[in-house]
Amino acid sequence: MAEGRREQPHPLLSSPPASKRPCLRPAPRGPGPGPGHGSGLPSSRYRSPESLLDCAAKAVAEKWAFERVEERFERIPEPVQRRIVYWSFPRNEKEICMYSSFQCRVAGEEDGLPFRRGIRLLETGCVENVLQVGKCDKYNEPATSSEPEVTHKVAISFDRCKITSVTCGCGNKDIFYCAHVVALSLYRIRKPEQVKLRLPISETLFQMNRDQLQKLVQYLITAHHTEVLPTAQKLADEILSSNSEINQVHGAPDPTAGASIDDDNCWHLDEDQVREQVKQFLSQGGYYGSGKQLNSMFAKVREMLRMRDSNGARMLTLITEQFMADPRLSLWRQQGTGMTDKCRQLWDELGALWVCVVLNPHCKSDEKMGWLKQLKKWGDMDVCPLEDGNYDSLSRPRRTVFSRAVEACDLHWQDSHLQRIISSDFYMSPSYQREGESLLFSPQGLPLWLDHVPTACARVDALRSHGYSREALRLAVAIINTLRLQQTRQMDIYKHQKKELLQRGITSTTNLEGWVGHPLDPIGCLFTTLTETCRLLCFSSDGDPKPPAYNHVPVWGSPDSGESYLTLALEVALMGMGQQRIMPEGLYAQDKVCRNEEQIVAKLQELELDDLLVHTLRKQAVQLLEAGPFSGLGEVIHRESVPMHTFAKYLFSALLPHDAELAYKVALRAMRLPVLESTAGAGDVGHSHHGISIVPSRYPRWFTLGHLESQQCELASTMLTAAKGDMLRLRTVLEAIQKNIHSSSLIFKLAQDAFKIATPADSPPDITLLNVALELGLQVMRMTLSTLNWRRREMVRWLVTCATEVGLRALVSILQSWYTLFTPTEATSIVAATVMSHNTILRLSLDYPQREELASCARTLALQCAMKDPQNCALSALTLCEKDHIAFETAYQIVIDAASTGMTYSQLFTIARYMEHRGYPLRSFKLASLAMTHLNLAYNQDTHPAINDVLWACALSHSLGKNELAAIIPLVVKSVHCATVLSDILRRCTMTAPGLAGIPGRRNSGKLMSTDKAPLRQLLDATISAYINTTHSRLTHISPRHYGEFIEFLSKARETFLLAQDGHIQFAQFIDNLKQIYKGKKKLMMLVRERFG
């Protein structure tokens, strides 16, 4: 270990206001040096009882300022002073840990935390030269092997078992104590006998004579003349002046004697660092783990409150000031945009913490009034966030995140009944007073606390947060007894109204304020309070905490011996989750309901269900089913009641191994979604599951509907999985899905899930579940048949796959009822084509009669679709009917009948090419001729997509013979006005002899056709005419940059003109006419003369 340079401990650089010590008073008298001059606790080897002196000194050191001790007693023996000074230092390492790390757990912490580093410094012997002067500790800490050689000087002031100020030469800038302060503090706690102890410096000065005092002052000035001399001279001048202020005060300050009576006695907290760090975290906008850091600071506030440390409220005030100064608040308000979810949750925690602070059972009234004033000031600011997020309801007064805390300031703890509840485990009413109604006790004599449930739970949270865990448990039990009694009475009320409500089918009874998603989180508070006392702390071999485990702790004072805090926690969670409540207004409030519900379910899933918990679970599930409109699982609920899907999914999974009948009853009851019942039609509701979903024509809107529907789907999927192999249950679940789920995409997801579960890779398929998947798929087809859905083709293909797995009868069924499931295009191009594919035949291992049956159904479907939509289905119908002559002829006749009315030239050309490919050239020619009658090709459409079809049709006619060519040329002349296309057709017809198709009964003459005779004469004339018309059209708006292109166009025209007998004369006349008509275009005409003369 490297040794640092040895320097004398320096005086305190800064200290809190010190108590005034008298300059002249009798010297203390006593029996001599106190016990263990600097000694600490008795040796651990000899555990002897503490002396009366130590017991008294400990009590005085913790509660009284030293100044008050001096005022109370005329003289204090030196041994007594030494023991008071000795016991004034903090005794609990947990308190040191609280101010040196975010987490309070001492063992297993990360090595980087100041507390862990401080322990390491202490254990490696880095703490040296420790001296305690009154209520100040100092030491030098040499460097470690991994750091440069430097000695850090540390000074700590303390009073009444609290560290009131710290100074370290390392220059630490953090809200926590540095490792060096931790090392010194732990050294003082663990090794007090090794600390040199001196009385407050005023006591030492009192024992000196004038010469000694003068020598002390002069040596002090000599040692630190540059720092001390100006101050020393100033003080000397004031003391020598009889009228100075310093001479008007009796005594003089002593920083080593602790704080003054009037000073606040609290742990040292660097306020500037708290402000700076919160400001820095907020400026990062939730990135880089800043949200986690802020939550850690909130946890630190709760830890301080639990230790009953006044710095908890102080630190929370500093945090809140920085939150209110966040510049983003004004920006969000001006832009009308909402804050992020993470930021919103931080504000919620801030408001909840203030409720805990103001509900401190032992806070002073003036302290509470100060908080109330500050909370109102923050709440009145325009930028203060609202309790319901960004939704500002016009029907209710403005409520901010601090409104609950302001209201909590009016609560008090003086109620005698409340005091008896929290102070005793055995507070019950006498047996002779248990007859009749009582507001204070249940019929069993257990105490009740009739209060607004969230407010009552806020009291529990406050007790627990301030370290009164036993009192919090007692109040929590009283609240649960109250909820039990209310549940019983509600069930009695429902029994008298049941017949009427069931006839109406709906109720207006609901809770306007739900417990789940409430800003005060009452259910989560009760659950945490009750389970904390049952939680077992388990750590793995490497020191990391294991998942929580719980054991049963009997309820103190409960007449039911089988009741434990764990069963109560489960019971209250089920009661809260099952509460029938109306959906709150606003996006954030609705999202918070969903989030809080998932948080409670996650906590419930941590419980390992034993017989006691299963009994509680079954009992509460039955009560929720029978509680009518007061339960979200009752037979009749409000239309806008919060759905129970997430809760029911947990109940179903938990109950299934123990009571399957009850599990299915709960889950099936929870499948409903009443808010959609009056708005969903027979078709698809069409909610988008990627954005915000809302209920049409409803105010306020359900922003979380997409999430709620997905939870409904997950519940249904869970039931389908569990019911595999049970035909009756599967049928029941299927009916519930068909009745309650209104989104096609979600039903499709369920169908896919069921199909996947029913067809495992390593075992035979479950035909019952496959049929359920098929039923759901058929429903999806019907729902989306008349609506737009981008997944429709995927759905159709999946249904055919599912029907194939089910078997031949399923395929025949969907083919025969295609018109209720598919469009004609889908039925022919996807369904029938897939069914008739070779892979399907092999998959089903069909024999010949079965293949024929399937093919007959497919052909019937094809003809029906062709009749209904010939434009899109004719080609598919011809393809499907190829192997059946009668069906094929029928399909062809359908095409011919539809050709003159609804079909386009492109559709007809496609079918014509198909016919040629299949060996029907004459039918192909007929269809091509019909297509030509629908075509109109303008003079400038030389890149039209139909040009290839026209050239193909003419080539087909030419190959069939002169008669067919003569028949199609008039159609071409009528439909095509583009000169280049006509010339291309003409050139192709003159290059080969007609009649090369080799049709039986036809003879090929082998002679080339002349352009001077029919039918090519008509085509030649039309081509020349098209060139002339096109030329004039182009010259109307021609620009110089197109002159070269135009000359090339005339060259092609000349080639066509020369095909006629007098073509050269016609072309020459044509050129002369151009020169005369367009003589104004001199440059162009010059180019024409250069090329054509």
Side-chain angles (χ1 to χ4, degrees), residues 12 48 82 155 159 214 234 245 342 429 453 461 489 566 612 654 664 672 744 883 927 1002 1007 1021-1022 1041 1057:
L12 284 177
S48 59
R82 286 184 179 278
D159 184 43
Q214 184 170 356
K234 179 184 176 184
E245 183 179 349
K342 287 184 179 179
S429 67
V453 173
D461 193 26
R489 290 175 178 173
L566 202 57
L612 279 176
Y664 278 100
R672 60 197 170 187
S744 61
K883 296 181 180 180
L927 290 169
R1002 295 286 185 94
K1007 297 181 180 179
D1021 293 341
R1041 63 193 178 95
F1057 272 82

Side-chain angles (χ1 to χ4, degrees), residues 425 470 473-474 477 530-531 533-534 552-557 563-570:
D425 292 322
R470 191 69 173 265
L473 276 173
R474 291 165 181 158
V477 172
L530 292 163
T531 53
T533 194
C534 305
H552 287 283
V553 177
V555 178
W556 297 309
E563 190 171 72
S564 72
Y565 290 109
L566 202 57
T567 60
L568 289 183
L570 176 61

Side-chain angles (χ1 to χ4, degrees), residues 349-363:
E349 178 64 12
L350 192 68
L353 276 173
W354 273 114
V355 174
C356 283
V357 168
V358 301
L359 278 178
N360 182 354
H362 293 106
C363 73

Side-chain angles (χ1 to χ4, degrees), residues 262-293:
D262 300 327
D263 295 333
D264 290 333
N265 179 234
C266 59
W267 283 78
H268 171 72
L269 180 69
D270 193 332
E271 295 188 358
D272 291 336
Q273 282 302 312
V274 173
R275 293 189 186 96
E276 187 60 34
Q277 291 210 12
V278 175
K279 183 178 180 180
Q280 180 183 351
F281 292 147
L282 287 173
S283 67
Q284 293 173 0
Y287 300 103
Y288 313 113
S290 60
K292 182 179 179 181
Q293 294 291 338

Side-chain angles (χ1 to χ4, degrees), residues 106 185 263 281 359 378 405 467 491 825 830:
V106 177
S185 303
D263 295 333
F281 292 147
L359 278 178
W378 288 327
M491 292 178 69
T825 305
I830 301 178

